[in-house]
Each structure stands twice: as C-alpha cells, then as structure tokens.
C-alpha cells in the first residue's frame, strides 16, 4: 500500500512545512552566492585546447587549458537557453571548469539549501515570465533573484530529493529503452529501403543524376527587400519530412517579382546545400502540388528532373537511402560550414528500373513506411509519456503530493 508523504507545501508566497515554519520565498536567494562576476567568456579563436570543460548556457561547449572554478556549483542559462518547465535550464558542475558569461553561476549555502533542490525546482518551473528581451531572450541576474523558490528544512529537502532521484533513475532507464527501440525501428526501415533499391538495381539503367536533372541554388534575400511576399523553404523546414510542409513555411519579401526560375514546381526536389552540421547536408524533400508561389533559400539546392524515365518520388526515396546520404555527406566541402555543390550532385550515381517497376517499389515502400511509422509513433509516444511523468512528479513534489 502506498503512503502519502506529508512533505512541506507552498502556499500564499510562503513555505509552510509540516512543523509549522514559515519562510518567505526570497529567503532562498539569501542562501546562495551568485558568482557571475568570476565567469569569463573566451572567443573560439582564443581558446587553447586543454582538459577542463568550458561551459555555456546549456552545457559543455569545449575543453580548454585553464579553469575559473574548482568546486560543486549550479549553473542556469542566462541567454541562449530554454526556460520552459522541463527544459532543464539548470544543471550541476563540479571540479575544475571554465564558465562563460551565458550561464549564471550559483554556490548554494549547503547548510540551508541543496544543489539538487535548486536544480529540481528550477527545472520543474516555467521561468519564461522572468525572461526579458524579444530579439535575444535573457534571464538576467535581477530577474533570476525574483524567482520565488520555497525553502523547507534541509531534512525535508533531502527526503524529497531522494524520492525524485530514485524515481528519475527509473524514468531515465525507461526513456533510454524507448529511445533505443525508436532507433532500431528507424534503422530497420532504412535497411529494408536499402534492400529494395539494391534489388531494383539488378539489370537497371545506370547513369548519373546530372544526366537526368538540372540544379539551381536557392534564393538570397535581405530584410530590406521590397516587392512580392512569398513562402520560402529553409533548412529548418526539412527535419524528417518526405514532402515540403507548405502550410508551415515562413514568408519573405523579395525584390520585385519572384523570377520563374526561383519558383518551385510540383515534382521538384530540394536538398540541404549548406549547414554547420555536416550530417544534415543532402537531406532531401519532394515538392507537392502548390497553389501559391513558393521559393527556396540560398542554403538549399533545387533538383529538377528533365527525363520522364525517372519518377520524382523514386528519386527522392533513393536520395534518402543511407548509401546516397553517405556519398553526399562525405563529398560536402568546407571546413566550418559543409557545402553540397552542383558538381557533386551531378556526379551522384543512380540505377533505376522501368517506370512500372519504380511504381511497384514505391507502393512497397509506402506499406513498409506505414508499418515502421506505427512503431516509430509508439516509441515516440512512450518517450513523451516518460517526459510528462517526469514533469508531473516534479509538480507533485513541490506541491507536497508525492506518494
């Protein structure tokens, strides 16, 4: 039989414990030291490689040769972080470390407040009301100190933290298991698709993409452009979509009218041309039927088939295979920013069967995708449920309702 733990409860801007104490919420900020004056940013060009972690708003950014701190501390993102409930904007560090100016550095007075108590409470709370700035959102130190954090007795903190630690350990295992199953489901679909194309390649026509299609780099525009308003496909729209998500595209203004060569047509393909993450270049989507003008950004490249021997859907499926993705990723140039150029796309080898066989393969892939999608959806739901349960436990913990 479960037993409700009668921990402290927060009410009316104070903490009322089971022993009848009352402490104002802002007492917590008098029970910590905020060490922001000791932090220091290092530009990437000035960093010297070393063994010590270099922390920013969301975690370790690099490893450097020096350190500023050598003790257990709590960091919380000042800018460049997320502050919604469950966003994990607060996290612990210990040992020798360097912290830049994008994270607040907090040293709890551990005779009154636990590191884990602060972290659990901050991460379980929606801190967005304390964030200022539209262009660059920021949780500055003044607003940080305004966050009401209840402070029950230390023993109560230890009990609640122990319960949460135990529960979250189990949730972490459940989430890791669901993530592993999700990865397996996606990998299985990828392997089946690869086998379909290997089978289709036997006796098929072999050529290069350049002999079947033309290419065009995307549109460059500025905020000062004046003219037509059009929807545009950017790198952020790709994700894992097979077709362009037309309804959620952003709009831009171009100078004058949109040139016909910059306007997408149904059956066009788009690929990520340039990205700081090499693994993202070459991601491909198919353009569906369109009712309005849609263009594509300079970080993408359009592929337009000139031959009726190859179906656009078949080409898109092929370019999303692991083998084709690997060729495009490995061929991407650039030191900091990886680029996919037209020459590399043009030389991409492709083998394809008759139109009839292409349609048969596409139907087979649709069936496989539906089954794989059910598996993927199930494991994604499990991950969301674990995350929701984690957040629910935090809310119950700080409402005195843990059982």
């Amino acid at each position: 039989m479960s037993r409700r733990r009668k921990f402290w409860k927060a009410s009316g801007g104070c903490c009322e414990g089971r022993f009848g104490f009352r402490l104002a919420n802002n007492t917590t900020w008098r029970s910590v030291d905020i060490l922001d004056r000791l932090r220091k940013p290092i530009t990437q060009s000035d960093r010297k490689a070393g063994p010590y972690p270099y922390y920013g708003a969301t975690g370790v950014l690099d490893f450097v040769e020096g350190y500023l701190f050598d003790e257990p501390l709590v960091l919380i993102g000042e800018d460049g972080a997320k502050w919604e409930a469950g966003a994990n904007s607060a996290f612990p560090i210990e040992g020798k470390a360097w912290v830049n100016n994008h994270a607040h550095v907090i040293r709890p007075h551990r005779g009154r407040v636990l590191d884990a108590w602060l972290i659990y409470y901050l991460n379980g709370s929606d801190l967005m009301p304390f964030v200022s700035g539209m262009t660059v959102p920021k949780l500055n130190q003044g607003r940080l100190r305004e966050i009401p954090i209840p402070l029950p007795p230390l023993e109560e903190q230890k009990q609640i933290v122990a319960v949460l630690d135990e529960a979250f350990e189990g949730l972490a295992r459940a989430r890791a298991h669901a993530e592993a199953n999700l990865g397996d489901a996606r990998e299985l679909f990828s392997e089946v698709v690869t086998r379909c194309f290997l089978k289709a390649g036997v006796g098929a026509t072999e050529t290069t993409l350049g002999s079947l299609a033309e290419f065009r780099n995307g549109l460059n525009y500025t905020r000062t452009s004046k003219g037509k308003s059009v929807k545009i496909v950017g790198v952020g729209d790709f994700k894992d979509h097979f077709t362009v998500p037309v309804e959620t595209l952003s709009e831009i203004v171009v100078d004058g009218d949109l040139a016909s060569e910059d306007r997408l047509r149904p059956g066009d393909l788009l690929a990520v041309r340039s990205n700081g993450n090499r693994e993202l270049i070459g991601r491909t989507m198919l353009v569906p039927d369109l009712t309005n003008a849609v263009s594509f950004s300079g970080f993408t490249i359009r592929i337009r088939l000139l031959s009726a021997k190859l179906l656009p859907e078949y080409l898109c499926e092929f370019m999303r295979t692991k083998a084709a993705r690997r060729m495009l990723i490995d061929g991407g140039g650039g030191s900091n920013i990886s680029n996919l150029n037209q020459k590399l796309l043009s030389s991409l080898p492709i083998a394809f069967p008759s139109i009839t066989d292409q349609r048969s393969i596409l139907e087979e892939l649709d069936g496989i995708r539906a089954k794989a999608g059910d598996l993927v959806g199930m494991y994604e739901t499990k991950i969301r449920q674990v995350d929701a349960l984690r957040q629910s436990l935090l809310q119950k913990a700080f409402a005195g309702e843990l059982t």
Side-chain angles (χ1 to χ4, degrees), residues 27-298:
T27 302
T28 301
W29 295 108
R30 296 198 296 269
S31 301
V32 305
D33 298 322
I34 298 181
L35 308 178
D36 289 0
R37 68 188 185 282
L38 302 178
R39 61 192 182 169
K40 183 180 178 182
I42 317 174
T43 61
Q44 190 167 10
S45 60
D46 290 336
R47 291 177 207 163
K48 295 181 180 179
Y52 307 115
Y54 177 77
Y55 285 93
T58 58
V60 177
L61 301 177
D62 208 341
F63 288 86
V64 296
E65 68 173 10
Y67 61 91
L68 300 175
F69 304 96
D70 186 10
E71 59 179 306
L73 296 164
V74 174
L75 302 187
I76 180 168
E78 178 174 358
D79 56 86
K82 294 181 179 180
W83 299 277
E84 296 87 355
N88 297 327
S89 54
F91 55 94
I93 68 169
E94 61 179 324
K96 295 179 172 65
W98 195 298
V99 182
N100 70 15
N101 60 334
H102 297 294
H104 295 294
V105 183
I106 301 170
R107 177 200 288 145
H109 298 175
R110 296 181 177 91
R112 300 196 67 188
V113 59
L114 300 177
D115 298 46
W117 174 265
L118 276 178
I119 292 169
Y120 276 138
Y121 190 85
L122 289 168
N123 286 341
S125 304
D126 180 10
L127 306 182
M128 288 303 296
F130 301 93
V131 174
S132 58
M134 296 292 292
T135 306
V136 181
K138 186 172 185 176
L139 176 63
N140 62 46
Q141 189 181 135
R143 298 308 307 274
L144 175 69
R145 290 179 180 275
E146 293 175 11
I147 297 171
I149 300 180
L151 190 63
L154 200 62
E155 286 305 311
E156 294 263 346
Q157 293 179 45
K158 289 178 180 178
Q159 291 178 54
I160 294 172
V161 165
V163 172
L164 290 175
D165 282 346
E166 182 180 357
F168 284 4
E169 184 179 345
L171 289 177
R173 289 195 299 269
R175 197 181 201 283
H177 184 66
E179 286 178 336
N181 287 334
L182 176 61
D184 289 343
R186 287 173 170 160
E187 184 65 23
L188 178 61
F189 175 69
S190 176
E191 289 177 1
V192 172
V193 171
T194 297
R195 287 199 294 270
C196 284
F197 278 98
L198 287 175
K199 182 174 66 175
V202 178
T205 301
E206 296 183 13
T207 185
T208 59
L209 185 55
S211 67
L212 302 166
E214 63 175 12
F215 313 99
R216 182 173 177 82
N217 291 353
L219 189 68
N220 292 310
Y221 55 92
T222 68
R223 292 183 179 180
T224 60
S225 297
K226 296 180 180 180
K228 281 272 188 178
S229 177
V230 297
K231 288 190 172 185
I232 192 160
V233 183
V235 171
D237 296 307
F238 279 74
K239 298 183 172 67
D240 198 36
H241 296 300
F242 185 84
T243 57
V244 173
V246 178
E247 297 304 319
T248 59
L249 297 179
S250 299
E251 287 194 359
I252 63 160
V253 175
V254 297
D255 288 318
D257 291 325
L258 182 66
S260 60
E261 58 266 29
D262 292 320
R263 184 168 180 161
L264 292 172
R265 301 177 190 169
D268 285 344
L269 277 72
L270 286 175
V272 175
R273 185 180 72 85
S274 181
N275 198 275
N277 183 349
R278 181 178 294 273
E279 295 299 311
L280 296 183
I281 67 168
R283 277 191 169 188
T284 308
M285 290 192 298
L286 181 69
V287 177
D289 291 337
L290 302 171
T291 55
N292 298 305
V294 178
S295 191
F296 51 110
S297 81

